[in-house]
């Protein structure tokens, strides 16, 4: 059996999925703006786990790079 040490935190830039709060810190955008962007049904960078909203970091980066303004 493999035990994982939960005291070691993975850096945000190495995570594949981020919480909305982590995405806000990572991108410098506000929590409310990220929620607003990811509310759209066709949003490509959001992953729903039940009612929990996770942000797919790489797709979020790509989305932000392609935008002129948000």
């Amino acid at each position: 059996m493999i035990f994982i040490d939960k005291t070691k935190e993975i850096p945000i830039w190495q995570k594949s999925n981020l919480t909305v709060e982590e995405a806000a810190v990572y991108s410098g955008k506000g929590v409310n703006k990220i929620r607003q962007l990811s509310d759209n049904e066709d949003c490509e960078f959001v992953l729903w786990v039940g009612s929990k909203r996770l942000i797919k970091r790489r797709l979020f980066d790509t989305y932000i790079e392609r935008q002129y303004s948000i």
Side-chain angles (χ1 to χ4, degrees):
M1 183 179 272
I2 299 174
F3 294 98
I4 299 172
D5 185 5
K6 299 257 184 192
T7 60
K8 294 181 182 177
E9 191 168 323
I10 299 171
I12 289 177
W13 61 88
Q14 291 182 347
K15 292 183 175 184
S16 57
N17 297 312
L18 307 172
T19 64
V20 174
E21 292 78 14
E22 288 173 335
V25 170
Y26 175 76
S27 66
K29 312 292 183 261
V31 172
N32 292 331
K33 178 54 84 174
I34 293 173
R35 282 198 181 107
Q36 178 187 11
L37 293 171
S38 61
D39 274 342
N40 187 353
E41 248 180 61
D42 298 329
C43 182
E44 62 185 27
F45 61 82
V46 68
L47 171 66
W48 290 95
V49 180
S51 62
K52 185 174 184 178
R53 183 187 324 221
L54 295 176
I55 305 299
K56 300 175 188 176
R57 185 181 53 82
R58 289 183 190 98
L59 291 176
F60 183 60
D61 284 339
T62 304
Y63 174 81
I64 295 296
E65 288 174 5
R66 288 185 283 149
Q67 299 306 306
Y68 175 73
S69 67
I70 56 171

